[in-house]
Amino acid sequence: MKRVLIIEDDKDFSDILRECLEEDKDIEVKAVINNESEAARFIQSPDLKELDCVLLDLQLPKLPNDSSTNPTAGLRLLQQIRQEQHFYGTVIVLTSSRSSADGQRALAAGCDGYLCKHARIDEIPAMLTELKVAIRGNVMMVSNEMRHVFFREDISAKEARLMHLLSNGKSWAEIAKELGYKTPKAAANVGDRIFDKLLSTQDRATLEQIGEKKRHKAVEIWKSRHSPNP
């Protein structure tokens, strides 16, 4: 059973989304929250650790019944989910935007996928099918128009957090403590496997030829792909 939290202020959309997801016997929607304040309280509670997936709208009102929304509310919640609460389940951002810049900012903040809510009627069944696959934690790539769900490489949220820490100069000892690895060597071994995912065959051949370690090049690639656009 995959347990899902929906954070979405559009009631019509969240109702349809909940109904469609719960048609699948393997998916349970634990709660639907429509504002940033209540979402932040949930995120800070032990209930977050019981979830497998969070569906998160980027634009949310601050409080219940607010008429205005903040375009950065979702990113703030995403940073709390990943960096403060260390939630390593799937996080899929919901948005009306088709902008690749918005997608890159969401990815850099730690989401796994990006879903544009506005689709043609004939696209909705395929979109929901992809969403259910994504909730189960599987990797897929789809259109660069950001209409459906996409995932960064084949790197998990926890691996992405490791690369984020490494890119910010953290030592293996610090990373092990932050992410719960038993030893710095265990963290470094995980890091080495991530490097192999990021580096192309040509990258590895070049590094071997010049005698350079994989870490520097992998971090360089990670930063180039996942730094927020200015």
Side-chain angles (χ1 to χ4, degrees), residues 26-91:
D26 294 330
I27 297 176
E28 178 186 3
V29 176
K30 298 296 291 185
V32 178
I33 300 174
N34 66 4
N35 63 88
E36 183 182 4
S37 178
E38 291 179 353
R41 282 199 294 273
F42 187 103
I43 288 166
Q44 292 163 13
S45 77
D47 293 334
L48 179 67
K49 303 298 183 183
E50 302 299 317
L51 298 176
D52 298 289
C53 177
V54 178
L55 303 180
L56 174 63
D57 191 5
L58 283 184
Q59 298 193 39
L60 294 164
K62 181 70 176 177
L63 299 168
N65 302 316
D66 275 358
S67 58
S68 61
T69 60
N70 189 309
T72 63
L75 288 179
R76 285 196 295 270
L77 292 171
L78 179 55
Q79 289 169 343
Q80 290 178 43
I81 289 168
R82 291 301 197 209
Q83 297 175 22
E84 296 177 18
Q85 302 302 318
H86 310 301
F87 175 75
Y88 298 122
T90 303
V91 180

Side-chain angles (χ1 to χ4, degrees), residues 2 21 24 27 52-53 55 90 92 112 125-142 149-151:
K2 295 297 182 181
L21 292 179
D24 192 315
I27 297 176
D52 298 289
C53 177
L55 303 180
T90 303
I92 299 172
D112 296 294
M127 181 182 77
L128 291 171
T129 297
E130 290 175 351
L131 181 57
K132 289 178 181 180
V133 173
I135 286 171
R136 292 185 175 90
N138 295 319
V139 175
M140 56 174 56
M141 300 293 292
V142 296
V149 180
F150 75 94
F151 284 81

Side-chain angles (χ1 to χ4, degrees), residues 161-208:
R161 180 64 180 153
L162 184 151
M163 287 303 302
H164 173 77
L165 293 170
L166 194 62
S167 298
N168 282 279
K170 298 295 185 181
S171 68
W172 290 122
E174 290 171 315
I175 291 171
K177 182 178 180 180
E178 177 83 12
L179 300 183
Y181 295 112
K182 290 184 179 180
T183 64
K185 182 173 177 55
N189 287 339
V190 173
D192 192 64
R193 292 196 293 272
I194 300 171
F195 301 159
D196 284 335
K197 295 178 182 181
L198 292 171
L199 298 172
S200 67
T201 302
Q202 183 60 51
D203 287 331
R204 289 193 289 271
T206 300
L207 292 172
E208 185 175 347

Side-chain angles (χ1 to χ4, degrees), residues 81-146:
I81 289 168
R82 291 301 197 209
Q83 297 175 22
E84 296 177 18
Q85 302 302 318
H86 310 301
F87 175 75
Y88 298 122
T90 303
V91 180
I92 299 172
V93 161
L94 307 172
T95 181
S96 301
S97 172
R98 292 177 183 260
S99 165
S100 60
D102 286 344
Q104 288 302 316
R105 279 190 283 270
L107 284 173
C111 83
D112 296 294
Y114 189 96
L115 177 64
C116 182
K117 295 184 286 186
H118 295 305
R120 298 197 311 265
I121 294 297
D122 61 344
E123 291 178 335
I124 291 175
M127 181 182 77
L128 291 171
T129 297
E130 290 175 351
L131 181 57
K132 289 178 181 180
V133 173
I135 286 171
R136 292 185 175 90
N138 295 319
V139 175
M140 56 174 56
M141 300 293 292
V142 296
S143 86
N144 59 9
E145 293 182 8
M146 316 291 270

